[in-house]
Amino acid sequence: MERVRAMFEKLPDVAPGRLEEGALFEAFRSARGGLSEAEAQGRLERFGPNELAVARVDAWRVALRQFRSPMVDLLAGAAAVSLAFGNHADGVTIGVILLINAAIGFCQEFRSERAVEKLRERLSARARVRRGGHIVSVDRRALVPGDVVLLEPGDIVDADLRVFVSDGLTLDESSLTGESAAVPKIAGPDKVNGKERAANMAHMMTRVVAGYGEGVVVATGSATIIGTIAKLTRETPRESAFERNLKDFSAFILKAVGIVLATVFIVNIFLKGESHIVPQLLFAVALAVSVVPEALPAVSSFTLARGAMRLSKRHVVVKRLSAIEDLGHIEVLCTDKTGTLTEGRMRVAGVRAHDPRAALKLALEAATEKELRKHGVVPKTFDAAIVEEAGPEAARTVLGWRRSWFAPFDPSRRRASAVFDDGRGRTLVVLGAPEEVLARSTMRLGPGGAVALTPKAVLEERASVRDEGLAGKRVLALAYRPVDALPSDGDDLERALTYVGTISFEDPLKPTAAAAVKDAASLHVRVKILTGDAPEVAGAVGMRTGVIDGIEEVVTGETLDAVPAAEFDRLIETRHVFARVTPQQKFRIVQGLERRFQVGFLGEGINDTPALKAANVALAVDHASDVARETADIILLRKDLRVIVEGVREGRRIFTNIVKYVKYTLIGNFGNFIAVAVVSLLIDELPMLPIQILLLNLLTDLPLIAVAADSVDAEEVARPKRFELRELAFIAVFLGMVSSFFDFAYYALNRKEGIEAVRTLWFLFSVLTEIALIYSIRTRFAFWKAVRPPSAMTMIAAATIALALALTFHPAGQAVFHFVGPSARQLWGVVALAAAYFAATEVVKLAYVRMTRTRAAV
């Protein structure tokens, strides 16, 4: 609005909604007949097209960013050195893995730009405007401040408008405000509400559901209310928890490997002389490749892809693979109310009258003719809900009566009125706010006919309306009176009415909403409701779904703005239903919660887009707005929130299996890495040749691909977990020492066998121990108590052992990898030592689990 104001010297410093019609046209230098074509073109050049600003990102810059991480640096360096010294196979393999991950990251980088682009696509159609006194159709992007826009049912509002003509104009603003009830618009000035909630303002991206209207464009493009939302969407950086964790883990590996390798290389050169620089460098590179988890991207991608396939069978579309793993981490699930927990439709919840069917039929006469003629559509207005409840036959009957006077619902009058003739005489019907109708009534319709409306009866009606409001329902009252004439002033008619009763309306809960909230609680995921609807309505939904216990627990957006910054975080953490919140407040709530929790946000409207973008995991339902679906990481195709719970379980299964690989890398690879590095300092020869180390690394990574499909203990999915490097370091120390101890034990027992036999047997021993480690760390229980591993993993493990044995015995394997055929005695010795290693690993693992559980209990 400030940009528009700067262009008009006479534009007053007041919200357009508070201006009289004459002052409005004068301020925007326009008229009821609209702008001339020449003036419109001039303003288009000054203000620019009616579209949202987009920060363009060059593709090559995005591609370059994919290679800026410690793990990528380490892998790229290892690949380069491997290629330089003739290890082409390993160098090419690492390079291919890097390119695949870069391609995946490149695709994800454009999500924010695509979300804003979707907003722009909504503006690509045409709008009807008055130009030079004539109605013409123009490209929506050509709208300028001062244009007069015509609105009819089904239209999407293309800019922020100040309405000056309203013939029952009613807008669906749920995608912008979160309120499920359609909002009627007035033509005169609104001197009470602010510019964002003015009763005469129609905002971009809202939809006309009934009536006819005309409005003056007061803001276009990024100057509109929706423009500020798009700006938040565009400016919020996204980095998933999964991606942050991998980055931290990569940095940890890089530091550890760098320190150890530098020390080993320098000491070896100091002890053995400069003539050993090239062999020691090759040895150092081989050790680096052996300990760097180059299979982690492949394991992660395969695990996530498998999870996405499983979820697709449950009608869930995953747009960002890492979001599945992030979904398993969420501790707080924030959700909009309309269309997510509720059905997003208006329904008659009850009729409180002597004859409910007759009351509904009477109420039909106060409905707009357009609603009376519509059948089989989802009701968004009170009139449509009445029509649906009364049925099409009753609507057709009322359409057959002659309506001689009609005043549609007006926020200033707070009622709709009509005079109709059913062939037996004229009757005035009034449908509106209960307090308005009661104030105009003197009689009450009962079983025996009309009786006096006593003060006691008025109090009873008010108490009933209050109870309905506390239950989250909206209430309209109905009254009538016979009339003979049609005075020019409607107020002359709307007196001495006979009160009929009330009709209550609700946006019904989805059948699965309460169960979904309960299931989420069983997984220790807290649900919070963020909505633009009234506190009573939001509170009722919260209580009926089990989110809160009482209406007093609801926090309004006004309260959020009033609390000190120091109290804000405590308030959003301890309260779980937030009503009358704006898109910016939703965004702020999500950001605040993320300071302590992993947050998922489930939404469907345009107003949810910034919060969706800010959340760790963004979810949208199938009927969400285009922008919400584009911004979301996960789309629910079925209107059943329980699929989110299954998604959480799947995310935790994925997290558990990825952590298995990380533990395996830290324990097995680091244990072997330390032992081989230390032994290299004690003997003149290399304890294992670089090519043998690379072969060992390749073979032992094969069974890990099957970890993606491994079964998971029920305990592992019961609570949200985090990728804790400290915990991983602890278990690596405990079990890594076991691995190093047995490697040293192996060398001590076999050092007299000859260097080629030592290398061959150490290779076989390492294959056996690293495969045995997989079966130990896949569960926190004793291995025989764990869920059965998938047969594919066992088959791949057996095939790996068989291949390792074949290479040591086959002449080709001996020639290429410098192996010697082991004797039966040597083989049985290696098998026995590997079995002892597995038993020791189990003992230490169980002791560590008991220790951590005791520490957690304290």
Side-chain angles (χ1 to χ4, degrees):
M1 193 62 198
E2 286 71 17
R3 180 170 66 92
V4 177
R5 192 182 305 280
M7 292 291 183
F8 291 102
E9 297 177 0
K10 296 182 179 180
L11 189 61
D13 189 19
V14 65
R18 297 182 178 179
L19 295 177
E20 297 287 350
E21 182 179 324
L24 175 70
F25 283 120
E26 181 181 357
F28 284 89
R29 300 176 187 173
S30 185
R32 275 181 169 262
L35 303 171
S36 66
E37 286 293 346
E39 178 64 21
Q41 184 60 37
R43 294 189 184 188
L44 182 61
E45 294 174 359
R46 283 188 292 167
F47 292 109
N50 180 34
E51 59 184 0
L52 302 174
V54 179
R56 299 290 181 184
V57 180
D58 294 329
W60 68 269
R61 294 182 186 274
V62 177
L64 188 62
R65 283 203 295 267
Q66 309 312 309
F67 298 94
R68 295 174 181 172
S69 76
M71 183 68 77
V72 168
D73 293 342
L74 183 58
L75 290 175
V81 175
S82 296
L83 291 171
F85 287 97
N87 297 317
H88 298 102
D90 203 70
V92 169
T93 300
I94 296 172
V96 168
I97 291 173
L98 283 178
L99 291 176
I100 291 173
N101 283 290
I104 295 172
F106 176 81
C107 294
Q108 293 176 0
E109 286 283 340
F110 280 105
R111 289 193 320 108
S112 179
E113 183 173 354
R114 286 200 304 270
V116 178
E117 191 66 32
K118 185 63 68 175
L119 282 171
R120 298 174 70 216
E121 289 174 5
R122 291 287 296 274
L123 301 175
S124 62
R126 304 185 70 80
R128 291 198 311 145
V129 301
R130 294 188 188 276
R131 291 276 174 90
H134 301 286
I135 298 176
V136 296
S137 176
V138 300
D139 190 304
R140 293 179 178 180
R141 290 172 294 182
L143 290 178
V144 295
D147 258 329
V148 174
V149 179
L150 283 60
L151 300 174
E152 291 186 335
D155 288 347
I156 300 295
V157 180
D158 305 314
D160 282 358
L161 311 178
R162 157 62 203 280
V163 176
F164 66 89
V165 171
S166 176
D167 182 6
L169 180 65
T170 308
L171 301 185
D172 176 6
E173 297 182 339
S174 62
S175 62
L176 184 63
T177 67
E179 297 189 19
S180 55
V183 181
K185 295 298 176 179
I186 63 174
D190 185 346
K191 299 184 180 297
V192 177
N193 298 300
K195 66 178 181 180
E196 293 186 16
R197 302 196 67 87
N200 56 12
M201 293 295 296
H203 293 294
M204 180 189 283
M205 298 297 183
T206 58
R207 183 172 62 89
V208 181
V209 295
Y212 172 82
E214 296 184 24
V216 178
V217 174
V218 298
T220 59
S222 57
T224 62
I225 298 300
I226 196 65
T228 62
I229 298 176
K231 185 173 185 291
L232 286 173
T233 302
R234 185 174 65 252
E235 293 180 350
T236 306
R238 281 297 298 271
E239 183 181 39
S240 73
F242 178 73
E243 292 158 346
R244 288 195 301 271
N245 291 332
L246 285 185
K247 185 181 293 185
D248 292 341
F249 177 64
S250 302
F252 170 77
I253 294 291
L254 179 63
K255 292 176 183 178
V257 170
I259 292 172
V260 174
L261 281 183
T263 302
V264 170
F265 180 77
I266 292 172
V267 172
N268 264 319
I269 298 303
F270 177 77
L271 293 176
K272 299 172 184 178
E274 295 181 0
S275 61
H276 289 76
I277 287 181
V278 173
Q280 288 297 332
L281 183 59
L282 285 172
F283 177 68
V285 170
L287 279 180
V289 172
S290 72
V291 75
V292 170
E294 74 276 9
L296 179 58
V299 170
S300 299
S301 298
F302 184 66
T303 307
L304 292 169
R306 181 176 179 272
M309 291 297 294
R310 286 165 61 98
L311 288 176
S312 69
K313 296 177 182 179
R314 296 175 173 84
H315 306 283
V316 178
V317 175
V318 178
K319 295 174 56 184
R320 177 173 62 88
L321 284 181
S322 62
I324 307 175
E325 195 264 354
D326 288 342
L327 186 59
H329 291 334
I330 66 170
E331 300 161 287
V332 176
L333 175 61
C334 297
T335 174
D336 189 17
K337 174 188 67 66
T338 305
T340 53
L341 293 174
T342 68
E343 294 181 0
R345 60 192 296 268
M346 195 59 66
R347 182 181 72 182
V348 173
V351 180
R352 190 170 186 268
H354 166 59
D355 186 342
R357 300 306 302 178
L360 281 172
K361 192 172 182 180
L362 192 64
L364 285 175
E365 184 55 33
T368 62
E369 186 172 336
K370 289 186 176 68
E371 296 292 0
L372 287 170
R373 295 186 183 279
K374 288 194 300 184
H375 304 292
V377 298
V378 176
K380 290 284 188 178
T381 65
F382 294 123
D383 288 354
I386 293 172
V387 171
E388 181 187 55
E389 185 69 15
E393 186 62 34
R396 282 192 290 270
T397 299
V398 171
L399 282 170
W401 296 342
R402 188 172 66 87
R403 179 183 287 179
S404 51
W405 181 77
F406 178 64
F409 188 91
D410 188 308
S412 61
R413 299 177 67 248
R414 305 182 67 196
R415 64 193 183 277
S417 308
V419 175
F420 68 94
D421 189 342
D422 61 0
R424 294 174 293 179
R426 289 175 176 172
T427 304
L428 167 69
V429 175
V430 178
L431 181 69
E435 55 271 29
E436 278 289 323
V437 177
L438 282 170
R440 297 173 182 276
S441 300
T442 57
M443 305 291 287
R444 178 182 184 182
L445 187 62
V451 296
L453 182 63
T454 64
K456 180 180 178 182
V458 171
L459 291 176
E460 290 175 352
E461 288 299 318
R462 288 176 177 172
S464 173
V465 170
R466 183 173 60 252
D467 292 341
E468 293 278 31
L470 292 175
K473 299 173 184 175
R474 297 174 173 87
V475 181
L476 295 180
L478 178 67
Y480 76 98
R481 62 166 287 190
V483 294
D484 296 324
L486 296 176
S488 58
D489 186 356
D491 271 354
D492 291 341
L493 291 175
E494 298 169 308
R495 300 287 179 186
L497 303 175
T498 299
Y499 186 81
V500 176
T502 58
I503 303 174
S504 58
F505 303 83
E506 67 176 354
D507 181 3
L509 283 182
K510 290 184 177 179
T512 58
V517 171
K518 185 176 181 180
D519 287 348
S522 71
L523 293 177
H524 297 86
V525 175
R526 184 74 210 194
V527 174
K528 294 180 183 285
I529 298 174
L530 282 59
T531 179
D533 220 329
E536 296 80 9
V537 176
V541 172
M543 289 187 290
R544 290 163 62 190
T545 54
V547 175
I548 58 175
D549 297 323
I551 191 72
E552 68 279 357
E553 298 179 35
V554 178
V555 177
T556 64
E558 185 178 359
T559 301
L560 284 176
D561 286 340
V563 297
E567 288 291 316
F568 181 81
D569 285 353
R570 183 195 64 79
L571 186 65
I572 63 175
E573 180 180 342
T574 57
R575 298 298 181 92
H576 309 300
V577 176
F578 301 86
R580 292 290 189 212
V581 289
T582 65
Q584 290 81 3
Q585 288 169 333
K586 289 184 181 182
F587 176 79
R588 187 183 172 203
I589 290 170
V590 170
Q591 280 198 323
L593 289 170
E594 283 186 331
R595 286 192 279 269
R596 289 198 57 188
F597 306 102
Q598 292 293 310
V599 180
F601 184 84
L602 172 63
E604 66 162 13
I606 298 170
N607 63 309
D608 294 326
T609 307
L612 283 166
K613 184 68 170 59
N616 299 116
V617 183
L619 306 102
V621 292
D622 64 330
H623 58 271
S625 64
D626 290 345
V627 181
R629 286 198 303 269
E630 187 66 23
T631 305
D633 303 308
I634 297 174
I635 305 294
L636 311 180
L637 297 182
R638 185 192 295 172
K639 297 179 181 180
D640 186 350
L641 300 188
R642 285 178 296 184
V643 297
I644 299 177
V645 177
E646 185 53 41
V648 170
R649 290 193 179 95
E650 189 65 34
R652 292 179 186 177
R653 292 188 195 105
I654 289 170
F655 173 78
T656 300
N657 285 335
I658 291 177
V659 168
K660 287 177 187 177
Y661 174 78
V662 174
K663 289 179 180 178
Y664 169 87
T665 299
L666 289 175
I667 298 166
N669 290 4
F670 261 110
N672 186 262
F673 167 78
I674 295 297
V676 172
V678 171
V679 171
S680 72
L681 301 175
L682 304 178
I683 60 176
D684 293 333
E685 301 285 345
L686 293 176
M688 289 183 71
L689 296 176
I691 195 170
Q692 293 170 341
I693 296 175
L694 296 175
L695 176 63
L696 171 66
N697 181 60
L698 177 63
L699 287 180
T700 54
D701 275 346
L702 290 178
L704 293 177
I705 300 298
V707 168
D710 195 9
S711 306
V712 174
D713 297 322
E715 183 183 274
E716 298 292 345
V717 300
R719 290 177 177 273
K721 296 185 177 181
R722 295 178 184 249
F723 198 105
E724 297 287 353
L725 281 179
R726 178 176 296 181
E727 181 182 351
L728 291 173
F730 274 133
I731 195 169
V733 169
F734 274 89
L735 295 181
M737 287 191 301
V738 176
S739 178
S740 295
F741 173 81
F742 275 87
D743 278 322
F744 286 130
Y746 159 79
Y747 179 74
L749 294 173
N750 294 278
R751 66 184 185 279
K752 296 180 181 180
E753 296 287 350
I755 189 61
E756 290 187 343
V758 167
R759 291 168 178 165
T760 301
L761 294 174
W762 203 339
F763 169 80
L764 289 174
F765 176 69
S766 297
V767 170
L768 291 175
T769 55
E770 293 196 26
I771 288 178
L773 182 63
I774 295 174
Y775 284 86
S776 178
I777 65 170
R778 64 180 295 271
T779 178
R780 294 171 65 88
F781 304 108
F783 76 94
W784 65 85
K785 293 182 179 180
V787 292
R788 184 176 179 179
S791 57
M793 190 168 78
T794 302
M795 291 174 62
I796 294 175
T800 300
I801 295 173
L803 181 58
L805 287 171
L807 288 173
T808 58
F809 281 102
H810 196 278
Q814 293 175 352
V816 174
F817 298 103
H818 308 287
F819 291 136
V820 294
S823 65
R825 176 188 63 81
Q826 291 172 326
L827 281 178
W828 281 112
V830 167
V831 170
L833 192 61
Y837 164 78
F838 180 71
T841 298
E842 280 289 288
V843 171
V844 175
K845 178 193 72 175
L846 295 174
Y848 172 81
V849 170
R850 284 194 296 270
M851 181 186 72
T852 53
R853 283 178 176 171
T854 302
R855 185 173 58 191
V858 175

